[in-house]
Amino acid sequence: MLLLAVLTACGGGDDDKPAEKPGTTTPGEPTTSGDPTGGGKSPSGEPSGGGEGGEGLALGKAAQTTGDGGTGVLEITPDTVVFVKTGSGETAENGVFAVVTMKDKAMTAVAADEPAPISGGGWTWMAPDGEMIGEGGGTAFNVVMDKYNNADPVQPGAYQWRAKVFDLTPAQAKGGTLIYIDGENKAHRWKMPSTDTGPNVAEVKKQLAP
């Protein structure tokens, strides 16, 4: 009788194990980290144009710029833009020359100059669709005007008249933004009109005549 009681107590193991509930586990769905707009990344703003504002200055407004190599300060004022198909006996390869004149004035006790394009500085025309066009491209390099053909460092207390010429397509010439990168790699911007504008239009056209 004692042996039978022991066997009976050991034989009920399966009844003590709780039964699994079928069908209660569902496959996990894929999860995403962050939000659908970039997983928590912070949007970064566009450069402001070296403190001049993303929209740029109006033609005729001055900008204080650092000279080539970080030496001196130039106050640069683009004041006139003229659009022509021919100038100095040259025909625009892409259809239109945009001729921009500017006044460079030294503002410190040392001479200052614009950085050369080879150093990553200088002037660029940004077309309305965002395309960047460097000065002197196409046949623009051959367009010169006596009064505006200055390129020496500007001496303290002095100023020079200069000009930049861009060889553009008609679409690129419909406005846009003039961008200047100074000696500290800082961008300065001017919004450009799409028609002849400025106090020196007549003089520029006269000098462009063959």
Side-chain angles (χ1 to χ4, degrees):
M1 292 293 292
L2 180 59
L3 179 60
L4 180 60
V6 171
L7 292 175
T8 301
C10 294
D14 289 343
D15 294 336
D16 294 336
K17 183 179 180 180
E20 294 183 2
K21 296 180 182 180
T24 58
T25 304
T26 57
E29 296 182 359
T31 60
T32 58
S33 61
D35 59 44
T37 61
K41 295 180 181 178
S42 300
S44 58
E46 292 268 333
S48 66
E52 305 299 346
E55 293 302 315
L57 295 169
L59 187 67
K61 295 296 184 179
Q64 302 294 312
T65 74
T66 302
D68 186 27
T71 301
V73 175
L74 281 178
E75 181 184 79
I76 298 182
T77 312
D79 71 341
T80 298
V81 60
V82 172
F83 299 93
V84 292
K85 294 182 179 180
T86 61
S88 302
E90 297 289 334
T91 299
E93 183 177 299
N94 297 312
V96 180
F97 288 131
V99 182
V100 184
T101 64
M102 63 275 301
K103 181 180 180 180
D104 285 13
K105 182 178 180 181
M107 303 300 290
T108 57
V110 295
D113 199 4
E114 297 181 4
I118 195 172
S119 68
W123 298 88
T124 306
W125 182 284
M126 186 171 73
D129 67 354
E131 183 177 359
M132 305 288 281
I133 302 98
E135 61 161 301
T139 54
F141 184 78
N142 296 318
V143 177
V144 295
M145 298 175 290
D146 290 340
K147 177 178 177 178
Y148 301 97
N149 192 29
N150 295 299
D152 296 327
V154 185
Q155 297 302 312
Y159 69 87
Q160 290 180 1
W161 288 103
R162 300 190 182 194
K164 304 301 173 183
V165 185
F166 304 89
D167 193 331
L168 309 175
T169 66
Q172 292 167 345
K174 291 182 178 178
T177 303
L178 184 69
I179 301 175
Y180 173 70
I181 306 298
D182 70 9
E184 287 186 338
N185 202 35
K186 183 178 178 181
H188 304 268
R189 304 167 183 238
W190 289 264
K191 293 299 293 181
M192 301 303 292
S194 57
T195 58
D196 297 349
T197 304
N200 299 317
V201 168
E203 181 182 42
V204 170
K205 286 188 173 182
K206 182 178 179 180
Q207 294 210 18
L208 288 171

